[in-house]
Amino acid sequence: MTPSATVGSGRLTERMTALVGEIRAVVDRGLPPELTAYLVGERLAPHLGDADLLTADQREGDPDRYRQHVLHAEADGSFSVVALVWLPGQQTPIHDHVSWCVAGVHQGQESETRYRLVSDGRSAHLVETEHVVGPAGTVAAFAPPGDIHLVRNACTSTAISIHVYGADVARLGTSIRRVYRLPAGDPR
């Protein structure tokens, strides 16, 4: 399932503008991806759940698939900030990413299943490694490789998460590098 997308979905709130500045200060340090993601996560966490973070338009979902609102893409392509709006039951495919990523649950709850790709040289399959339920305020930071997962809204209400990617999602259209079609545990 590919998200529906809105690029530059309206003006940024004052609080989101401040968050973008905090993220820029971290990214401009030029640290390794894992450390950058961790530090960006620390900056994102205090903003989660604040009613003034997103505009009403940036909270709108899509009845057919989760919706991606690209809020900011840095001019040099070094990072993007995205709001993902998930209606009940919506989910991603199993995928990995083009860059480091930080995801913070702003509203509702997200369910994430993490995987590891196992290969014997002739065939490969996915092994489920962890299932995590993230309520509002939860932050996860990671960098490839080892970032294979599926995310879904398992709640009965809308979930919104704020994602920061170390890439220009406005230009790329998505943060997804590869979709895994191998079923979990199926050694094809």
Side-chain angles (χ1 to χ4, degrees), residues 93-97 115-117 124-126 145-150 176-184:
I94 299 172
H95 66 282
D96 63 9
H97 301 87
Y115 298 91
R116 181 170 43 91
L117 186 62
H125 64 278
L126 295 172
D147 60 324
I148 304 169
H149 67 166
L150 175 147
I176 294 174
R177 179 175 72 101
R178 178 185 317 147
V179 171
Y180 292 83
R181 304 208 187 283
L182 294 174

Side-chain angles (χ1 to χ4, degrees), residues 36-53:
T36 298
Y38 174 81
L39 293 172
V40 167
E42 284 188 333
R43 301 315 182 277
L44 174 60
H47 296 276
L48 296 173
D50 190 288
D52 296 331
L53 188 60

Side-chain angles (χ1 to χ4, degrees), residues 41 44-45 48-49 53 82 84 86 101-107 110 134-141 160-164:
L44 174 60
L48 296 173
L53 188 60
V82 174
L84 295 182
W86 313 77
C101 175
V102 175
V105 181
H106 179 61
Q107 173 186 314
E110 291 181 356
T138 304
V139 176
I160 300 174
S161 51
I162 307 299
H163 295 237
V164 183

Side-chain angles (χ1 to χ4, degrees), residues 5 23 38-39 43 57 60-61 64 76 78 94 104 106 112 115 124 130-131 145-146 151 158 167 170 185:
I23 294 166
Y38 174 81
L39 293 172
R43 301 315 182 277
D57 288 346
E60 287 184 13
D64 296 325
D76 66 2
S78 60
I94 299 172
H106 179 61
E112 177 188 18
Y115 298 91
E130 189 175 17
H131 183 76
V151 181
T158 299

Side-chain angles (χ1 to χ4, degrees), residues 60-75:
E60 287 184 13
D62 180 316
D64 296 325
R65 61 189 59 88
Y66 70 98
R67 186 169 183 186
Q68 172 181 274
H69 296 273
V70 179
L71 306 175
H72 175 80
E74 194 74 345

